[in-house]
Amino acid sequence: MDGLVNVLVTVAVVAIVIARQFRARAIDTDRRWWLLPVILAVVSLREPGILDPGHRAESAVLLVAELFIGLVTGVGWGWTTRLWTAPDGVVWTKSSKASGAVWIVGIALRAGVFALGSALGVHQDSSALMLGLAGTLLVRGGILTWRARSIGAPSRPAPAYGDDERSAWKERV
């Protein structure tokens, strides 16, 4: 995949994630919350330019820093997200202002890593950014799922409008 396509995919995923995080959403603990991060990681690791061949050690250190920032951002985001249980037992989530601050700090740190790499003359591929984002989403999803299960989230999806009616097969004739 071309570097520009990686950047566009990363920007699109970040835009969707940020837009969705500030809306209240029901958590389905059976959902495959790990699927998108795994896909992003696989796509980023398939790229040959994740390490600069002329600066292997420096680019490896920058990659580790990017991954560390991604993981810490995911931890911060997962723990600053508000969870609550509705009267029907469904656990809901919505990011707080602190979550927004975590994102801003994470983006600033990533920009600093990129600036440091540029100052050192290290070619940085967008695959490292995508891998860091995968780590962020994976850790955040894991923490939210664990937190939701610990406060008693049902293992079923949130009911849709009208789902509070009894099913036909349960009704007595």
Side-chain angles (χ1 to χ4, degrees):
M1 197 180 299
D2 184 49
L4 178 62
V5 174
N6 280 353
V7 170
L8 292 176
V9 167
T10 303
V11 168
V13 168
V14 167
I16 290 168
V17 166
I18 289 175
R20 291 179 65 197
Q21 81 172 339
F22 289 101
R23 285 185 288 167
R25 295 182 323 130
I27 291 183
D28 177 11
T29 56
D30 285 343
R31 193 180 64 122
R32 291 184 180 98
W33 53 268
W34 46 266
L35 187 60
L36 177 61
V38 168
I39 290 170
L40 287 174
V42 167
V43 168
S44 67
L45 290 173
R46 289 186 47 175
E47 295 298 314
I50 199 162
L51 292 178
D52 182 2
H55 302 92
R56 283 215 180 277
E58 294 91 344
S59 63
V61 168
L62 292 174
L63 179 62
V64 168
E66 175 68 36
L67 287 173
F68 180 74
I69 291 168
L71 296 176
V72 170
T73 301
V75 168
W77 184 18
W79 283 105
T80 58
T81 299
R82 182 173 171 250
L83 292 178
W84 70 94
T85 306
D88 61 357
V90 175
V91 177
W92 288 77
T93 180
K94 183 177 180 182
S95 287
S96 63
K97 290 179 182 177
S99 302
V102 167
W103 266 99
I104 290 169
V105 169
I107 290 170
L109 289 173
R110 286 182 168 115
V113 168
F114 184 80
L116 177 63
S118 294
L120 295 174
V122 177
H123 170 72
Q124 299 170 75
D125 196 69
S126 59
S127 297
L129 178 64
M130 192 180 299
L131 190 59
L133 177 61
T136 299
L137 295 176
L138 185 67
V139 170
R140 184 245 184 198
I143 289 173
L144 285 182
T145 301
W146 176 76
R147 287 180 62 203
R149 287 181 180 159
S150 70
I151 63 171
S155 61
R156 60 177 169 73
Y161 179 75
D163 279 354
D164 56 345
E165 298 176 30
R166 294 187 307 180
S167 308
W169 64 274
K170 289 183 180 178
E171 291 186 18
R172 296 185 184 172
V173 191

